[in-house]
């Protein structure tokens, strides 16, 4: 197990380097650059003035040189500065990361609390009223995109209840209730699709496990149904569900971009989107690489969790 983890950690290095190259090239493929975004249609800026600005940002150098310099700085722990504000990017990331982490944690927690019991109950009571309602609700949850749900939540609460969440982020250390009140709607909007996916996965996995011979043996021994389900079936049924949750957790870090923008939450996604709008290359590159790295690390942790949940899995 130790060798497996060490091997995966070593493999992280070329994986991150490959992701960094891909991100760097994709950023350079964006139409226009920061100089075009800054000067716009201002007639006082001619080709010479624009060339001077591009030289100041280092954009006149060959792309391989720009990439190697950026990657070298990253390797030394220097994430660079924003082209626009000249502020260190690491400071902004440190400020925005807790917001995105809290949003992702609340979304995952809400989805797990609802989806797992509902999926298990749906499998145990297959084709019953609860199963039919859960499956129907899952299909509805999958049908609506989270940005539409976020807009509807805002519309309903503002029109019907004359209430909208604060557009200024309230830290939980300052006002826990106010923070949870502010984060509830964005977390709910993000969690609806997660609930649907986790519920369907939990149901399908549970149905598969309940057909296994050892479950029939447990029932033949006279064990009651709750003990069969919670003692013998649930743990094995959790393995594919853990996979989905791990992937969702990694995806949520980047997938919250639109939700943070709708609710005015200054998280990592909001920071990334501002960088894209402003063609702020260092901000986009560092933020995208950070989110991609989180996704890879979370999936590594999920793989390690397999061995704990199912001792039959051998990584040697």
């Amino acid at each position: 197990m130790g060798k497996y983890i060490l091997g995966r950690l070593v493999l992280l290095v070329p994986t991150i380097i490959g992701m960094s190259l891909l991100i760097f090239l994709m950023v350079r493929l964006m139409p226009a650059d920061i100089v075009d975004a800054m000067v716009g249609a201002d007639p006082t800026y001619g080709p010479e003035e624009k060339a001077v600005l591009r030289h100041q940002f280092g954009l006149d150098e060959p792309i391989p040189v720009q990439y190697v310099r950026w990657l070298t700085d990253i390797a030394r722990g220097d994430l660079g500065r924003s082209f626009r504000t000249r502020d260190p990017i690491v400071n902004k990331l440190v400020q925005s990361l807790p917001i995105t982490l809290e949003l992702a944690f609340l979304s995952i927690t809400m989805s797990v609390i609802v989806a797992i019991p509902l999926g298990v109950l749906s499998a145990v009571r297959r084709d019953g009223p609860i199963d039919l309602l859960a499956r129907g609700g899952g299909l509805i949850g999958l049908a609506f995109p989270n940005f539409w749900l976020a807009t509807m939540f805002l519309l309903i609460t503002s029109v019907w209840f004359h209430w909208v969440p604060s557009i200024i982020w309230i830290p939980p250390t300052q006002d826990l209730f106010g923070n949870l009140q502010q984060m509830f709607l964005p977390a709910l909007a993000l969690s609806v699709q997660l609930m649907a996916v986790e519920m369907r996965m939990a149901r399908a996995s549970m149905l598969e496990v309940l057909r296994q011979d050892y479950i029939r043996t447990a029932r033949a021994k006279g064990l009651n149904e709750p003990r069969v389900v919670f003692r013998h079936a649930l743990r094995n049924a959790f393995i594919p569900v853990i996979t989905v949750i791990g992937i969702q957790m990694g995806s949520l870090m980047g997938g919250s971009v639109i939700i943070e923008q709708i609710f005015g939450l200054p998280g990592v996604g909001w920071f990334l989107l501002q960088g894209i709008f402003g063609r702020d290359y260092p901000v986009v590159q560092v933020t995208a690489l950070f989110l991609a790295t989180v996704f890879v690390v979370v999936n590594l942790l999920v793989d390690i969790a397999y061995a704990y949940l199912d001792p039959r899995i051998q990584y040697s």
Side-chain angles (χ1 to χ4, degrees), residues 132-166:
L132 294 177
L133 284 174
R135 287 158 60 189
L139 286 176
I140 293 173
L142 287 173
F144 295 114
N146 53 29
F147 65 85
W148 184 85
L149 287 173
T151 308
M152 289 300 104
F153 289 160
L154 275 179
L155 186 64
I156 291 170
T157 55
S158 60
V159 172
W160 290 3
F161 302 101
H162 305 289
W163 177 86
V164 291
S166 171

PDB file of all heavy atoms in Angstrom, residues 132-166:
ATOM      1  N   LEU A 132     -40.347   4.624  -6.369  1.00  0.00           N
ATOM      2  CA  LEU A 132     -40.842   5.363  -7.541  1.00  0.00           C
ATOM      3  C   LEU A 132     -40.658   6.869  -7.358  1.00  0.00           C
ATOM      4  O   LEU A 132     -40.246   7.582  -8.287  1.00  0.00           O
ATOM      5  CB  LEU A 132     -42.324   5.035  -7.761  1.00  0.00           C
ATOM      6  CG  LEU A 132     -42.626   3.567  -8.153  1.00  0.00           C
ATOM      7  CD1 LEU A 132     -44.124   3.347  -8.267  1.00  0.00           C
ATOM      8  CD2 LEU A 132     -41.936   3.217  -9.475  1.00  0.00           C
ATOM      9  N   LEU A 133     -40.945   7.356  -6.138  1.00  0.00           N
ATOM     10  CA  LEU A 133     -40.759   8.783  -5.877  1.00  0.00           C
ATOM     11  C   LEU A 133     -39.286   9.176  -5.967  1.00  0.00           C
ATOM     12  O   LEU A 133     -38.935  10.230  -6.523  1.00  0.00           O
ATOM     13  CB  LEU A 133     -41.308   9.127  -4.484  1.00  0.00           C
ATOM     14  CG  LEU A 133     -42.838   9.214  -4.361  1.00  0.00           C
ATOM     15  CD1 LEU A 133     -43.231   9.414  -2.901  1.00  0.00           C
ATOM     16  CD2 LEU A 133     -43.357  10.366  -5.222  1.00  0.00           C
ATOM     17  N   ALA A 134     -38.401   8.334  -5.419  1.00  0.00           N
ATOM     18  CA  ALA A 134     -36.976   8.642  -5.446  1.00  0.00           C
ATOM     19  C   ALA A 134     -36.439   8.654  -6.871  1.00  0.00           C
ATOM     20  O   ALA A 134     -35.674   9.545  -7.261  1.00  0.00           O
ATOM     21  CB  ALA A 134     -36.218   7.620  -4.598  1.00  0.00           C
ATOM     22  N   ARG A 135     -36.855   7.673  -7.661  1.00  0.00           N
ATOM     23  CA  ARG A 135     -36.384   7.621  -9.054  1.00  0.00           C
ATOM     24  C   ARG A 135     -36.911   8.806  -9.863  1.00  0.00           C
ATOM     25  O   ARG A 135     -36.200   9.401 -10.673  1.00  0.00           O
ATOM     26  CB  ARG A 135     -36.810   6.306  -9.682  1.00  0.00           C
ATOM     27  CG  ARG A 135     -35.986   5.131  -9.138  1.00  0.00           C
ATOM     28  CD  ARG A 135     -36.695   3.796  -9.301  1.00  0.00           C
ATOM     29  NE  ARG A 135     -36.987   3.474 -10.671  1.00  0.00           N
ATOM     30  CZ  ARG A 135     -37.760   2.438 -11.046  1.00  0.00           C
ATOM     31  NH1 ARG A 135     -38.289   1.667 -10.098  1.00  0.00           N
ATOM     32  NH2 ARG A 135     -37.973   2.187 -12.300  1.00  0.00           N
ATOM     33  N   GLY A 136     -38.176   9.151  -9.626  1.00  0.00           N
ATOM     34  CA  GLY A 136     -38.722  10.318 -10.314  1.00  0.00           C
ATOM     35  C   GLY A 136     -38.020  11.598  -9.895  1.00  0.00           C
ATOM     36  O   GLY A 136     -37.684  12.439 -10.738  1.00  0.00           O
ATOM     37  N   GLY A 137     -37.789  11.733  -8.591  1.00  0.00           N
ATOM     38  CA  GLY A 137     -37.071  12.924  -8.109  1.00  0.00           C
ATOM     39  C   GLY A 137     -35.661  12.989  -8.646  1.00  0.00           C
ATOM     40  O   GLY A 137     -35.139  14.070  -8.960  1.00  0.00           O
ATOM     41  N   GLY A 138     -35.018  11.813  -8.779  1.00  0.00           N
ATOM     42  CA  GLY A 138     -33.659  11.782  -9.335  1.00  0.00           C
ATOM     43  C   GLY A 138     -33.621  12.256 -10.770  1.00  0.00           C
ATOM     44  O   GLY A 138     -32.723  13.010 -11.174  1.00  0.00           O
ATOM     45  N   LEU A 139     -34.606  11.824 -11.546  1.00  0.00           N
ATOM     46  CA  LEU A 139     -34.648  12.258 -12.949  1.00  0.00           C
ATOM     47  C   LEU A 139     -34.876  13.762 -13.045  1.00  0.00           C
ATOM     48  O   LEU A 139     -34.261  14.456 -13.871  1.00  0.00           O
ATOM     49  CB  LEU A 139     -35.773  11.512 -13.680  1.00  0.00           C
ATOM     50  CG  LEU A 139     -35.511  10.038 -14.000  1.00  0.00           C
ATOM     51  CD1 LEU A 139     -36.740   9.408 -14.634  1.00  0.00           C
ATOM     52  CD2 LEU A 139     -34.300   9.898 -14.925  1.00  0.00           C
ATOM     53  N   ILE A 140     -35.757  14.282 -12.185  1.00  0.00           N
ATOM     54  CA  ILE A 140     -36.005  15.734 -12.193  1.00  0.00           C
ATOM     55  C   ILE A 140     -34.745  16.491 -11.779  1.00  0.00           C
ATOM     56  O   ILE A 140     -34.383  17.505 -12.374  1.00  0.00           O
ATOM     57  CB  ILE A 140     -37.182  16.063 -11.250  1.00  0.00           C
ATOM     58  CG1 ILE A 140     -38.477  15.468 -11.816  1.00  0.00           C
ATOM     59  CG2 ILE A 140     -37.325  17.574 -11.066  1.00  0.00           C
ATOM     60  CD1 ILE A 140     -39.662  15.592 -10.886  1.00  0.00           C
ATOM     61  N   GLY A 141     -34.068  15.964 -10.757  1.00  0.00           N
ATOM     62  CA  GLY A 141     -32.837  16.621 -10.303  1.00  0.00           C
ATOM     63  C   GLY A 141     -31.766  16.665 -11.361  1.00  0.00           C
ATOM     64  O   GLY A 141     -31.012  17.643 -11.474  1.00  0.00           O
ATOM     65  N   LEU A 142     -31.685  15.598 -12.166  1.00  0.00           N
ATOM     66  CA  LEU A 142     -30.681  15.568 -13.237  1.00  0.00           C
ATOM     67  C   LEU A 142     -31.050  16.490 -14.397  1.00  0.00           C
ATOM     68  O   LEU A 142     -30.186  16.940 -15.146  1.00  0.00           O
ATOM     69  CB  LEU A 142     -30.533  14.137 -13.762  1.00  0.00           C
ATOM     70  CG  LEU A 142     -29.813  13.151 -12.860  1.00  0.00           C
ATOM     71  CD1 LEU A 142     -29.896  11.744 -13.435  1.00  0.00           C
ATOM     72  CD2 LEU A 142     -28.356  13.552 -12.689  1.00  0.00           C
ATOM     73  N   ALA A 143     -32.341  16.750 -14.538  1.00  0.00           N
ATOM     74  CA  ALA A 143     -32.801  17.508 -15.702  1.00  0.00           C
ATOM     75  C   ALA A 143     -32.499  19.002 -15.596  1.00  0.00           C
ATOM     76  O   ALA A 143     -32.350  19.685 -16.615  1.00  0.00           O
ATOM     77  CB  ALA A 143     -34.305  17.303 -15.893  1.00  0.00           C
ATOM     78  N   PHE A 144     -32.408  19.522 -14.374  1.00  0.00           N
ATOM     79  CA  PHE A 144     -32.246  20.974 -14.224  1.00  0.00           C
ATOM     80  C   PHE A 144     -30.789  21.335 -13.940  1.00  0.00           C
ATOM     81  O   PHE A 144     -30.211  20.870 -12.956  1.00  0.00           O
ATOM     82  CB  PHE A 144     -33.124  21.488 -13.085  1.00  0.00           C
ATOM     83  CG  PHE A 144     -34.591  21.343 -13.349  1.00  0.00           C
ATOM     84  CD1 PHE A 144     -35.373  20.482 -12.586  1.00  0.00           C
ATOM     85  CD2 PHE A 144     -35.205  22.052 -14.373  1.00  0.00           C
ATOM     86  CE1 PHE A 144     -36.724  20.331 -12.835  1.00  0.00           C
ATOM     87  CE2 PHE A 144     -36.558  21.911 -14.631  1.00  0.00           C
ATOM     88  CZ  PHE A 144     -37.320  21.047 -13.867  1.00  0.00           C
ATOM     89  N   PRO A 145     -30.191  22.183 -14.761  1.00  0.00           N
ATOM     90  CA  PRO A 145     -28.817  22.630 -14.488  1.00  0.00           C
ATOM     91  C   PRO A 145     -28.753  23.497 -13.234  1.00  0.00           C
ATOM     92  O   PRO A 145     -29.723  24.195 -12.900  1.00  0.00           O
ATOM     93  CB  PRO A 145     -28.448  23.437 -15.742  1.00  0.00           C
ATOM     94  CG  PRO A 145     -29.741  23.830 -16.354  1.00  0.00           C
ATOM     95  CD  PRO A 145     -30.739  22.777 -15.985  1.00  0.00           C
ATOM     96  N   ASN A 146     -27.621  23.450 -12.553  1.00  0.00           N
ATOM     97  CA  ASN A 146     -27.532  24.148 -11.267  1.00  0.00           C
ATOM     98  C   ASN A 146     -27.634  25.675 -11.398  1.00  0.00           C
ATOM     99  O   ASN A 146     -28.125  26.337 -10.495  1.00  0.00           O
ATOM    100  CB  ASN A 146     -26.273  23.735 -10.501  1.00  0.00           C
ATOM    101  CG  ASN A 146     -25.027  23.886 -11.317  1.00  0.00           C
ATOM    102  OD1 ASN A 146     -24.962  24.744 -12.192  1.00  0.00           O
ATOM    103  ND2 ASN A 146     -24.030  23.059 -11.051  1.00  0.00           N
ATOM    104  N   PHE A 147     -27.172  26.237 -12.533  1.00  0.00           N
ATOM    105  CA  PHE A 147     -27.277  27.701 -12.654  1.00  0.00           C
ATOM    106  C   PHE A 147     -28.733  28.127 -12.788  1.00  0.00           C
ATOM    107  O   PHE A 147     -29.128  29.190 -12.313  1.00  0.00           O
ATOM    108  CB  PHE A 147     -26.429  28.212 -13.836  1.00  0.00           C
ATOM    109  CG  PHE A 147     -26.891  27.747 -15.187  1.00  0.00           C
ATOM    110  CD1 PHE A 147     -27.887  28.425 -15.859  1.00  0.00           C
ATOM    111  CD2 PHE A 147     -26.322  26.639 -15.781  1.00  0.00           C
ATOM    112  CE1 PHE A 147     -28.308  28.010 -17.108  1.00  0.00           C
ATOM    113  CE2 PHE A 147     -26.749  26.210 -17.024  1.00  0.00           C
ATOM    114  CZ  PHE A 147     -27.741  26.888 -17.678  1.00  0.00           C
ATOM    115  N   TRP A 148     -29.556  27.280 -13.441  1.00  0.00           N
ATOM    116  CA  TRP A 148     -30.986  27.597 -13.546  1.00  0.00           C
ATOM    117  C   TRP A 148     -31.647  27.493 -12.173  1.00  0.00           C
ATOM    118  O   TRP A 148     -32.459  28.346 -11.795  1.00  0.00           O
ATOM    119  CB  TRP A 148     -31.636  26.632 -14.539  1.00  0.00           C
ATOM    120  CG  TRP A 148     -33.096  26.927 -14.787  1.00  0.00           C
ATOM    121  CD1 TRP A 148     -33.626  27.809 -15.676  1.00  0.00           C
ATOM    122  CD2 TRP A 148     -34.208  26.343 -14.096  1.00  0.00           C
ATOM    123  NE1 TRP A 148     -34.999  27.807 -15.592  1.00  0.00           N
ATOM    124  CE2 TRP A 148     -35.383  26.924 -14.637  1.00  0.00           C
ATOM    125  CE3 TRP A 148     -34.336  25.389 -13.089  1.00  0.00           C
ATOM    126  CZ2 TRP A 148     -36.659  26.567 -14.196  1.00  0.00           C
ATOM    127  CZ3 TRP A 148     -35.608  25.041 -12.650  1.00  0.00           C
ATOM    128  CH2 TRP A 148     -36.750  25.623 -13.202  1.00  0.00           C
ATOM    129  N   LEU A 149     -31.298  26.454 -11.436  1.00  0.00           N
ATOM    130  CA  LEU A 149     -31.850  26.306 -10.085  1.00  0.00           C
ATOM    131  C   LEU A 149     -31.455  27.497  -9.206  1.00  0.00           C
ATOM    132  O   LEU A 149     -32.273  28.011  -8.439  1.00  0.00           O
ATOM    133  CB  LEU A 149     -31.337  25.003  -9.459  1.00  0.00           C
ATOM    134  CG  LEU A 149     -31.929  23.705 -10.015  1.00  0.00           C
ATOM    135  CD1 LEU A 149     -31.202  22.503  -9.428  1.00  0.00           C
ATOM    136  CD2 LEU A 149     -33.413  23.622  -9.715  1.00  0.00           C
ATOM    137  N   ALA A 150     -30.188  27.927  -9.325  1.00  0.00           N
ATOM    138  CA  ALA A 150     -29.724  29.064  -8.521  1.00  0.00           C
ATOM    139  C   ALA A 150     -30.546  30.318  -8.839  1.00  0.00           C
ATOM    140  O   ALA A 150     -30.958  31.060  -7.940  1.00  0.00           O
ATOM    141  CB  ALA A 150     -28.238  29.311  -8.789  1.00  0.00           C
ATOM    142  N   THR A 151     -30.790  30.537 -10.126  1.00  0.00           N
ATOM    143  CA  THR A 151     -31.579  31.702 -10.531  1.00  0.00           C
ATOM    144  C   THR A 151     -33.008  31.600  -9.995  1.00  0.00           C
ATOM    145  O   THR A 151     -33.585  32.583  -9.513  1.00  0.00           O
ATOM    146  CB  THR A 151     -31.599  31.814 -12.068  1.00  0.00           C
ATOM    147  OG1 THR A 151     -30.271  31.771 -12.559  1.00  0.00           O
ATOM    148  CG2 THR A 151     -32.262  33.106 -12.508  1.00  0.00           C
ATOM    149  N   MET A 152     -33.593  30.403 -10.078  1.00  0.00           N
ATOM    150  CA  MET A 152     -34.957  30.208  -9.586  1.00  0.00           C
ATOM    151  C   MET A 152     -35.025  30.396  -8.066  1.00  0.00           C
ATOM    152  O   MET A 152     -35.971  30.995  -7.547  1.00  0.00           O
ATOM    153  CB  MET A 152     -35.445  28.801  -9.952  1.00  0.00           C
ATOM    154  CG  MET A 152     -35.736  28.594 -11.424  1.00  0.00           C
ATOM    155  SD  MET A 152     -37.022  29.708 -12.053  1.00  0.00           S
ATOM    156  CE  MET A 152     -36.043  30.914 -12.953  1.00  0.00           C
ATOM    157  N   PHE A 153     -34.026  29.895  -7.365  1.00  0.00           N
ATOM    158  CA  PHE A 153     -34.009  30.070  -5.905  1.00  0.00           C
ATOM    159  C   PHE A 153     -33.986  31.550  -5.539  1.00  0.00           C
ATOM    160  O   PHE A 153     -34.709  32.007  -4.650  1.00  0.00           O
ATOM    161  CB  PHE A 153     -32.795  29.367  -5.303  1.00  0.00           C
ATOM    162  CG  PHE A 153     -32.891  27.863  -5.332  1.00  0.00           C
ATOM    163  CD1 PHE A 153     -31.740  27.084  -5.215  1.00  0.00           C
ATOM    164  CD2 PHE A 153     -34.104  27.221  -5.475  1.00  0.00           C
ATOM    165  CE1 PHE A 153     -31.820  25.700  -5.241  1.00  0.00           C
ATOM    166  CE2 PHE A 153     -34.198  25.838  -5.500  1.00  0.00           C
ATOM    167  CZ  PHE A 153     -33.053  25.080  -5.388  1.00  0.00           C
ATOM    168  N   LEU A 154     -33.147  32.294  -6.247  1.00  0.00           N
ATOM    169  CA  LEU A 154     -33.068  33.741  -5.983  1.00  0.00           C
ATOM    170  C   LEU A 154     -34.388  34.424  -6.309  1.00  0.00           C
ATOM    171  O   LEU A 154     -34.864  35.287  -5.560  1.00  0.00           O
ATOM    172  CB  LEU A 154     -31.940  34.351  -6.807  1.00  0.00           C
ATOM    173  CG  LEU A 154     -30.532  34.296  -6.221  1.00  0.00           C
ATOM    174  CD1 LEU A 154     -29.532  34.928  -7.177  1.00  0.00           C
ATOM    175  CD2 LEU A 154     -30.495  35.019  -4.875  1.00  0.00           C
ATOM    176  N   LEU A 155     -34.973  34.017  -7.432  1.00  0.00           N
ATOM    177  CA  LEU A 155     -36.225  34.637  -7.868  1.00  0.00           C
ATOM    178  C   LEU A 155     -37.354  34.346  -6.871  1.00  0.00           C
ATOM    179  O   LEU A 155     -38.101  35.247  -6.467  1.00  0.00           O
ATOM    180  CB  LEU A 155     -36.597  34.097  -9.258  1.00  0.00           C
ATOM    181  CG  LEU A 155     -37.806  34.735  -9.942  1.00  0.00           C
ATOM    182  CD1 LEU A 155     -37.538  36.193 -10.226  1.00  0.00           C
ATOM    183  CD2 LEU A 155     -38.135  34.001 -11.231  1.00  0.00           C
ATOM    184  N   ILE A 156     -37.456  33.089  -6.461  1.00  0.00           N
ATOM    185  CA  ILE A 156     -38.534  32.697  -5.554  1.00  0.00           C
ATOM    186  C   ILE A 156     -38.393  33.377  -4.193  1.00  0.00           C
ATOM    187  O   ILE A 156     -39.355  33.926  -3.647  1.00  0.00           O
ATOM    188  CB  ILE A 156     -38.559  31.155  -5.401  1.00  0.00           C
ATOM    189  CG1 ILE A 156     -39.019  30.520  -6.719  1.00  0.00           C
ATOM    190  CG2 ILE A 156     -39.487  30.735  -4.257  1.00  0.00           C
ATOM    191  CD1 ILE A 156     -38.856  29.023  -6.749  1.00  0.00           C
ATOM    192  N   THR A 157     -37.178  33.340  -3.640  1.00  0.00           N
ATOM    193  CA  THR A 157     -37.004  33.930  -2.307  1.00  0.00           C
ATOM    194  C   THR A 157     -37.182  35.454  -2.339  1.00  0.00           C
ATOM    195  O   THR A 157     -37.674  36.038  -1.374  1.00  0.00           O
ATOM    196  CB  THR A 157     -35.620  33.588  -1.743  1.00  0.00           C
ATOM    197  OG1 THR A 157     -34.607  33.993  -2.673  1.00  0.00           O
ATOM    198  CG2 THR A 157     -35.494  32.111  -1.455  1.00  0.00           C
ATOM    199  N   SER A 158     -36.778  36.076  -3.439  1.00  0.00           N
ATOM    200  CA  SER A 158     -36.887  37.537  -3.494  1.00  0.00           C
ATOM    201  C   SER A 158     -38.326  37.989  -3.768  1.00  0.00           C
ATOM    202  O   SER A 158     -38.795  38.972  -3.188  1.00  0.00           O
ATOM    203  CB  SER A 158     -35.945  38.100  -4.560  1.00  0.00           C
ATOM    204  OG  SER A 158     -36.267  37.573  -5.833  1.00  0.00           O
ATOM    205  N   VAL A 159     -39.034  37.261  -4.645  1.00  0.00           N
ATOM    206  CA  VAL A 159     -40.394  37.673  -5.007  1.00  0.00           C
ATOM    207  C   VAL A 159     -41.402  37.238  -3.947  1.00  0.00           C
ATOM    208  O   VAL A 159     -42.274  38.014  -3.544  1.00  0.00           O
ATOM    209  CB  VAL A 159     -40.770  37.085  -6.394  1.00  0.00           C
ATOM    210  CG1 VAL A 159     -42.245  37.341  -6.705  1.00  0.00           C
ATOM    211  CG2 VAL A 159     -39.889  37.697  -7.474  1.00  0.00           C
ATOM    212  N   TRP A 160     -41.289  36.002  -3.489  1.00  0.00           N
ATOM    213  CA  TRP A 160     -42.280  35.480  -2.542  1.00  0.00           C
ATOM    214  C   TRP A 160     -41.987  35.865  -1.097  1.00  0.00           C
ATOM    215  O   TRP A 160     -42.886  36.116  -0.319  1.00  0.00           O
ATOM    216  CB  TRP A 160     -42.355  33.957  -2.664  1.00  0.00           C
ATOM    217  CG  TRP A 160     -42.971  33.485  -3.944  1.00  0.00           C
ATOM    218  CD1 TRP A 160     -43.403  34.265  -4.998  1.00  0.00           C
ATOM    219  CD2 TRP A 160     -43.234  32.138  -4.330  1.00  0.00           C
ATOM    220  NE1 TRP A 160     -43.896  33.498  -6.005  1.00  0.00           N
ATOM    221  CE2 TRP A 160     -43.811  32.175  -5.628  1.00  0.00           C
ATOM    222  CE3 TRP A 160     -43.029  30.903  -3.729  1.00  0.00           C
ATOM    223  CZ2 TRP A 160     -44.180  31.021  -6.309  1.00  0.00           C
ATOM    224  CZ3 TRP A 160     -43.410  29.752  -4.403  1.00  0.00           C
ATOM    225  CH2 TRP A 160     -43.979  29.814  -5.683  1.00  0.00           C
ATOM    226  N   PHE A 161     -40.714  35.854  -0.744  1.00  0.00           N
ATOM    227  CA  PHE A 161     -40.369  36.101   0.663  1.00  0.00           C
ATOM    228  C   PHE A 161     -39.643  37.434   0.882  1.00  0.00           C
ATOM    229  O   PHE A 161     -39.265  37.757   2.001  1.00  0.00           O
ATOM    230  CB  PHE A 161     -39.493  34.953   1.189  1.00  0.00           C
ATOM    231  CG  PHE A 161     -40.166  33.610   1.078  1.00  0.00           C
ATOM    232  CD1 PHE A 161     -39.841  32.738   0.041  1.00  0.00           C
ATOM    233  CD2 PHE A 161     -41.139  33.217   1.981  1.00  0.00           C
ATOM    234  CE1 PHE A 161     -40.462  31.495  -0.081  1.00  0.00           C
ATOM    235  CE2 PHE A 161     -41.765  31.984   1.876  1.00  0.00           C
ATOM    236  CZ  PHE A 161     -41.429  31.121   0.840  1.00  0.00           C
ATOM    237  N   HIS A 162     -39.394  38.157  -0.222  1.00  0.00           N
ATOM    238  CA  HIS A 162     -38.714  39.454  -0.133  1.00  0.00           C
ATOM    239  C   HIS A 162     -37.390  39.333   0.624  1.00  0.00           C
ATOM    240  O   HIS A 162     -37.065  40.146   1.493  1.00  0.00           O
ATOM    241  CB  HIS A 162     -39.623  40.491   0.556  1.00  0.00           C
ATOM    242  CG  HIS A 162     -40.956  40.614  -0.109  1.00  0.00           C
ATOM    243  ND1 HIS A 162     -41.129  41.192  -1.342  1.00  0.00           N
ATOM    244  CD2 HIS A 162     -42.188  40.197   0.286  1.00  0.00           C
ATOM    245  CE1 HIS A 162     -42.402  41.159  -1.687  1.00  0.00           C
ATOM    246  NE2 HIS A 162     -43.072  40.547  -0.722  1.00  0.00           N
ATOM    247  N   TRP A 163     -36.656  38.284   0.282  1.00  0.00           N
ATOM    248  CA  TRP A 163     -35.363  38.065   0.934  1.00  0.00           C
ATOM    249  C   TRP A 163     -34.349  37.596  -0.101  1.00  0.00           C
ATOM    250  O   TRP A 163     -34.645  36.734  -0.937  1.00  0.00           O
ATOM    251  CB  TRP A 163     -35.484  37.006   2.027  1.00  0.00           C
ATOM    252  CG  TRP A 163     -34.165  36.685   2.690  1.00  0.00           C
ATOM    253  CD1 TRP A 163     -33.600  37.339   3.727  1.00  0.00           C
ATOM    254  CD2 TRP A 163     -33.254  35.628   2.344  1.00  0.00           C
ATOM    255  NE1 TRP A 163     -32.394  36.767   4.050  1.00  0.00           N
ATOM    256  CE2 TRP A 163     -32.152  35.719   3.218  1.00  0.00           C
ATOM    257  CE3 TRP A 163     -33.254  34.628   1.368  1.00  0.00           C
ATOM    258  CZ2 TRP A 163     -31.073  34.841   3.143  1.00  0.00           C
ATOM    259  CZ3 TRP A 163     -32.176  33.751   1.298  1.00  0.00           C
ATOM    260  CH2 TRP A 163     -31.105  33.866   2.189  1.00  0.00           C
ATOM    261  N   VAL A 164     -33.166  38.176  -0.069  1.00  0.00           N
ATOM    262  CA  VAL A 164     -32.056  37.703  -0.909  1.00  0.00           C
ATOM    263  C   VAL A 164     -30.823  37.600  -0.013  1.00  0.00           C
ATOM    264  O   VAL A 164     -30.675  38.371   0.943  1.00  0.00           O
ATOM    265  CB  VAL A 164     -31.754  38.662  -2.084  1.00  0.00           C
ATOM    266  CG1 VAL A 164     -32.869  38.648  -3.101  1.00  0.00           C
ATOM    267  CG2 VAL A 164     -31.498  40.074  -1.577  1.00  0.00           C
ATOM    268  N   PRO A 165     -29.953  36.645  -0.298  1.00  0.00           N
ATOM    269  CA  PRO A 165     -28.747  36.524   0.526  1.00  0.00           C
ATOM    270  C   PRO A 165     -27.826  37.721   0.335  1.00  0.00           C
ATOM    271  O   PRO A 165     -27.852  38.389  -0.703  1.00  0.00           O
ATOM    272  CB  PRO A 165     -28.106  35.229   0.019  1.00  0.00           C
ATOM    273  CG  PRO A 165     -28.662  35.017  -1.347  1.00  0.00           C
ATOM    274  CD  PRO A 165     -30.030  35.608  -1.332  1.00  0.00           C
ATOM    275  N   SER A 166     -27.012  37.980   1.328  1.00  0.00           N
ATOM    276  CA  SER A 166     -26.077  39.100   1.265  1.00  0.00           C
ATOM    277  C   SER A 166     -25.087  38.906   0.128  1.00  0.00           C
ATOM    278  O   SER A 166     -24.646  37.788  -0.158  1.00  0.00           O
ATOM    279  CB  SER A 166     -25.321  39.205   2.597  1.00  0.00           C
ATOM    280  OG  SER A 166     -24.264  40.140   2.485  1.00  0.00           O
TER     281      SER A 166
END
